Amino acid sequence: MVIGTALAWGDVPTMVLAIGLAFLFGYSFTLFAVLRAGLGLKAAIKVALAADTVSIAVMELVDNAIIALTPGALEAHLTDGLFWSALLGGFAVAFLITTPVNKWMIGRGKGHAVVHAHH
């Protein structure tokens, strides 16, 4: 969101960039961890996809919805408190919703439980 806003991109390209980077970084962190644990690249990619897809998707859906639904947030600039409060508020609400989703998945041996098996 910061990059797209700083470059004065439109709402859709900014959100696409934010979502794309969230998946890229989310998968990368898991991928590097399981590669260090000794998995081959193909297996590590499968583990990262299984571990993070639902979590990142829920986080991004909620976070971007909060930002989009906050009046004026999409028009705010980096120097506006509204930009930062909407961004932080979106993260906070998304975290509160994503945490029980992750807990539920781990309890069923899915999500991040797949990664834990390789540590």
Side-chain angles (χ1 to χ4, degrees):
M1 294 302 267
V2 172
I3 294 169
T5 300
L7 296 174
W9 287 4
D11 298 341
V12 172
T14 297
M15 284 192 174
V16 168
L17 176 65
I19 293 166
L21 288 175
F23 277 96
L24 176 71
F25 282 101
Y27 288 144
S28 295
F29 291 136
T30 299
L31 183 63
F32 292 135
V34 294
L35 284 171
R36 276 194 312 253
L39 255 61
L41 181 61
K42 187 175 179 180
I45 290 171
K46 287 181 181 180
V47 167
L49 291 173
D52 292 328
T53 300
V54 172
S55 179
I56 296 169
V58 171
M59 185 82 173
E60 288 303 302
L61 176 71
V62 173
D63 181 36
N64 283 285
I66 297 291
I67 293 168
L69 295 173
T70 301
L74 292 174
E75 293 78 29
H77 298 283
L78 297 179
T79 57
D80 296 332
L82 177 59
F83 174 85
W84 296 104
S85 62
L87 191 65
L88 181 59
F91 283 148
V93 172
F95 176 79
L96 292 174
I97 292 173
T98 305
T99 299
V101 170
N102 286 333
K103 186 177 189 292
W104 179 82
M105 290 179 61
I106 289 169
R108 281 149 188 77
K110 301 188 183 308
H112 291 281
V114 176
V115 174
H116 294 219
H118 300 286
H119 286 276

